Amino acid sequence: AAVVLTNLLWEVRDLEVVRPEGRLALNLDSDERTRSFHARLTSEIDPTALALIFASEDISNVLGYFQFTQPPRLEAEAWGCWTNLAAIGLQARLALTNAVFREQTVRSCVTERITYTNQVVDVFHARVERPEGVATVDRVQVDIVRDLIALTNVIGHIDPLAFARAVGPHMVKRLSPYRFSQPPTVHFEGRAGLTSGSGLDDARFEVSGGPFQWQNFKFTHLTNNLHWLGDTLTLSNFDGTIHEGTVRGGAAFDFSPQVQGTIFRFDVTATNIDAKPLLTDLFPGASNRLAGRLGGHLTISNATTADDKSWFGSGDVSLSEGMIWDEPVFALFSPMVNKVVPGLGNSRARHAAANFLITNSVITSRDLDIHATGMRMQFVGAIDFEGRVQGSMEAELLRDTPGFGWLVSKVLWPVTKLFEFKITGTLAHPKMQPTYIPKPLLAPLHPLRTIKELFGGDKDKTPSPGSSPEP
């Protein structure tokens, strides 16, 4: 290196610093009268060593987010005042491989330009590669004083949780319930505080990909827009595929620290979903034999995760080509109906539909209508979120028979009343009490006998030789 001092002006030319990991070449002009300096350097050494040169706490804080397996290639120009290091200016180009930023692996990162002025770092046109994919960003701005990071036009295929960890623990807390098995395509624009409670969060995401899971809902694919503002998260234009069907709608979540739990609301419409795997996901470990195609609409106007009884809303639901008879609440009807018309109690429900209200997490309906071959069933009552049920169920035999169904159902009206029950207990273990059958007749009904037997027919019929009595 050549060092020249002229009229209190220092000139350092071609200074070379060698460290175990690489070299640094420096040219420096420094004015002892104004304590100002101007430096140009090319470096392949660990950038944390530069923080030691400038003794700047701000620069040390920024570089402290990084860990370098191998030193990056840095071309930089710096200027400022030795007595006011907070006012240092920097312009640079950076290329690095095998680094870690806030514990997140970065395979490579290339930037067009980096600037640092007034304690604000700007990174322009960066390309970042991680193990799962690549992301590009037009601009990243880190405001050291305000603990704020702002990103412009981020497009990538990276793990959203990796991005959340890079921002901070508060972002992880908010995004961790939303999990992708494979990195989705993400378009991001906005800003986020580097610490929780900053009140500076205002960011928009456009997400497309899958498989995706939230709670026990497992989607094969989805597209969605998210707006994260302060302590709120809004989902709009949600369009997901789940168990061969679709779900569309939106939702809003309020994570305000002054309220207990998370306040949320949503509005969704479901179409043609395979009921069996969906209910298996929602109620893992429970015996589930319900089959069919589900659809409907659900609006939750207000609810909170802190109170299981806080749900309010309304909606409608439908089931087509459903196999319902193995469900405990319907199981009693199947053998009874089979006694009247063999096989009738095991037929598929061609269509079932209901409108309902939700108040304090209790679902009430007055028009659950189930249409099966040769039979119609109706339910009026309420079910809470713990599966407790209270209501009444009635079966009308042959009600939907083409042409004569209405007349036949009227003729069989007395028989229909044998199939009207009050239901209590739970969905898994229902308790059913006949509405019109007197108690003395309950014993003959268990085990069930044919309607003809109940009214005295064939009481004295003698079994033929070798035959067994009818059970």
Side-chain angles (χ1 to χ4, degrees):
V3 180
V4 178
L5 174 61
T6 306
N7 298 324
L8 297 178
L9 296 177
W10 288 94
E11 293 183 7
V12 179
R13 296 290 178 262
D14 301 323
L15 172 66
E16 185 176 54
V17 178
V18 180
R19 285 176 48 88
E21 72 273 16
R23 297 173 178 268
L24 177 147
L26 174 68
N27 289 282
L28 173 66
D29 295 305
S30 178
D31 190 333
E32 288 295 318
R33 296 164 299 184
T34 62
R35 303 297 293 166
S36 62
F37 70 89
H38 189 190
R40 295 178 180 83
L41 63 87
T42 301
S43 171
E44 293 180 353
I45 68 173
D46 189 335
T48 57
L50 298 179
L52 298 176
I53 294 175
F54 294 111
S56 170
E57 182 178 353
D58 293 331
I59 293 179
S60 296
N61 290 338
V62 173
L63 293 176
Y65 293 142
F66 291 89
Q67 296 175 357
F68 299 96
T69 303
Q70 61 188 75
R73 169 75 178 182
L74 177 67
E75 298 176 3
E77 183 177 358
W79 58 91
C81 178
W82 293 112
T83 58
N84 185 13
L85 296 178
I88 288 176
L90 175 73
Q91 183 167 295
R93 296 179 62 186
L94 176 70
L96 63 83
T97 57
N98 299 324
V100 175
F101 177 75
R102 300 192 86 168
E103 300 183 356
Q104 303 308 302
T105 300
V106 178
R107 282 185 173 174
S108 68
C109 177
V110 179
T111 67
E112 179 182 282
R113 181 164 54 97
I114 301 173
T115 64
Y116 172 79
T117 55
N118 299 318
Q119 302 184 72
V120 175
V121 179
D122 278 297
V123 180
F124 297 93
H125 301 294
R127 181 185 184 276
V128 178
E129 180 182 352
R130 280 183 40 83
E132 73 274 14
V134 174
T136 60
V137 54
D138 285 354
R139 182 180 183 182
V140 179
Q141 185 177 83
V142 180
D143 189 323
I144 298 170
V145 176
R146 300 173 65 195
D147 276 336
L148 176 71
I149 182 172
L151 300 99
T152 303
N153 195 31
V154 181
I155 299 175
H157 303 271
I158 62 174
D159 181 1
L161 280 181
F163 167 78
R165 296 185 190 104
V167 173
H170 63 297
M171 177 71 94
V172 175
K173 181 180 179 180
R174 293 176 183 178
L175 294 187
S176 59
Y178 314 100
R179 300 187 296 275
F180 285 90
S181 300
Q182 299 177 6
T185 299
V186 179
H187 180 210
F188 176 90
E189 191 104 20
R191 66 187 189 187
L194 293 173
T195 58
S196 61
S198 66
L200 299 172
D201 305 330
D202 186 0
R204 297 181 183 273
F205 301 78
E206 295 176 9
V207 182
S208 177
F212 168 81
Q213 181 174 350
W214 176 70
Q215 304 291 353
N216 290 337
F217 293 94
K218 301 176 182 178
F219 292 85
T220 54
H221 188 271
L222 66 81
T223 58
N224 190 28
N225 296 337
L226 301 92
H227 184 197
W228 175 29
L229 178 63
D231 293 314
T232 65
L233 178 65
T234 303
L235 284 65
S236 59
N237 299 322
F238 184 94
D239 191 343
T241 302
I242 181 171
H243 298 304
E244 303 177 15
T246 60
V247 175
R248 295 183 173 92
F253 302 85
D254 186 345
F255 306 97
S256 300
Q258 58 267 31
V259 299
Q260 189 174 7
T262 299
I263 298 174
F264 64 92
R265 64 182 185 275
F266 60 82
D267 184 280
V268 295
T269 299
T271 306
N272 200 36
I273 297 174
D274 190 343
K276 188 175 182 65
L278 174 65
L279 294 178
T280 299
D281 290 345
L282 297 181
F283 306 102
S287 175
N288 172 43
R289 294 177 292 275
L290 180 68
R293 313 299 294 191
L294 275 174
H297 176 243
L298 174 61
T299 298
I300 297 299
S301 56
N302 186 54
T304 175
T305 58
D307 184 359
D308 292 338
K309 295 181 174 59
S310 66
W311 290 50
F312 288 81
S314 62
D316 59 76
V317 63
S318 64
L319 177 71
S320 60
E321 296 303 321
M323 185 59 68
I324 64 175
W325 305 112
D326 286 332
E327 294 303 308
V329 74
F330 299 113
L332 176 62
F333 290 89
S334 179
M336 292 180 68
V337 174
N338 283 335
K339 285 293 184 177
V340 180
V341 180
L344 184 62
N346 299 106
S347 59
R348 282 185 176 268
R350 296 194 311 274
H351 182 71
N355 296 290
F356 57 86
L357 294 174
I358 302 175
T359 305
N360 294 322
S361 300
V362 176
I363 306 169
T364 58
S365 176
R366 302 188 62 83
D367 61 359
L368 172 57
D369 212 3
I370 303 172
H371 297 257
T373 303
M375 179 173 57
R376 177 186 292 181
M377 299 181 68
Q378 296 174 321
F379 173 83
V380 175
I383 303 170
D384 67 16
F385 280 19
E386 295 179 359
R388 291 188 292 260
V389 59
Q390 185 170 2
S392 62
M393 183 85 76
E394 177 183 315
E396 295 183 82
L397 302 182
L398 307 177
R399 176 65 177 82
D400 293 332
T401 303
F404 301 97
W406 179 85
L407 177 61
V408 172
S409 68
K410 293 304 179 184
V411 172
L412 291 178
W413 179 85
V415 177
T416 296
K417 292 306 171 184
L418 297 177
F419 298 105
E420 185 170 331
F421 285 79
K422 293 180 180 178
I423 304 175
T424 58
T426 67
L427 290 174
H429 302 285
K431 298 176 182 179
M432 298 189 179
Q433 175 69 36
T435 304
Y436 294 104
I437 302 176
K439 287 185 177 181
L441 288 180
L442 289 180
L445 281 172
H446 186 75
L448 294 167
R449 299 169 182 257
T450 65
I451 297 300
K452 189 173 183 180
E453 286 179 303
L454 289 175
F455 289 95
D458 290 345
K459 281 186 177 180
D460 300 324
K461 184 176 181 179
T462 303
S464 59
S467 64
S468 300
E470 183 179 351

